[in-house]
Amino acid sequence: MNKEKRAMNREKKPLYRKVNTKARGVRHNFGGDYKNNRNKKRESIEVVKGSMHGKKNRGLDYTPLFKFLLSKVGYEWNQVFSEAKSRLDTTEPIFWLVANDESDKKDYVRLGESTYFSGLFIDVDGILQLTNPNLKPKDLTPFCNCCTHTLNGKLFGSE
């Protein structure tokens, strides 16, 4: 049974994607690993022996995960989490939207420069819920005119 479930989830697309690296103005936070150390008079142990830090995940977009979570509002959290976990590289981005604790609940979460998503939480019955179900894109105003601000993929000020 468990093998069948894993095989089913392998057929589904992952809930993240690599950012388009050919688009103009896309920054992937590359560099800085060696450039800050190369002109130092005294070499650090990391430069001599190498760092043991893991590979950094740069250029991943979790928008499909956020849309998946929003589509599962009203469903049992354990099932939603299980499916999301099986289709991700790490579970950390799930909790960018879903509050673990009552004090972590937010009406909306800002991800990136101008992208916002509705905050989520797990109620006492173990059901995934919106923190503020009445929040609409028309209720929010952008803080600058140069960017396109969105809430759950819809432009601010629109229905």
Side-chain angles (χ1 to χ4, degrees), residues 15-113:
L15 291 174
Y16 63 94
R17 60 184 175 222
K18 290 187 179 184
V19 175
N20 182 358
T21 57
K22 299 197 186 237
R24 292 180 58 203
V26 176
R27 296 180 183 226
H28 296 286
N29 195 21
F30 283 111
D33 298 334
Y34 179 69
K35 77 176 185 180
N36 296 326
N37 295 327
R38 67 177 174 226
N39 291 323
K40 287 186 176 178
K41 301 228 182 252
R42 191 170 156 214
E43 293 181 345
S44 69
I45 192 77
E46 287 181 349
V47 172
V48 174
K49 291 190 174 185
S51 172
M52 292 192 57
H53 300 291
K55 184 178 176 185
K56 294 181 181 175
N57 289 328
R58 294 177 170 138
L60 296 180
D61 177 19
Y62 290 101
T63 303
L65 167 68
F66 306 141
K67 289 182 178 183
F68 169 80
L69 290 172
L70 288 169
S71 73
K72 297 297 180 181
V73 168
Y75 287 80
E76 186 179 323
W77 169 245
N78 289 335
Q79 291 177 347
V80 173
F81 181 72
S82 178
E83 183 175 349
K85 186 171 98 171
S86 70
R87 296 171 60 189
L88 287 172
D89 57 338
T90 178
T91 59
E92 182 185 353
I94 294 172
F95 299 105
W96 294 349
L97 285 190
V98 181
N100 277 334
D101 195 310
E102 188 73 27
S103 63
D104 294 335
K105 286 172 51 171
K106 296 178 184 171
D107 286 350
Y108 56 87
V109 179
R110 180 179 173 188
L111 299 167
E113 190 172 313

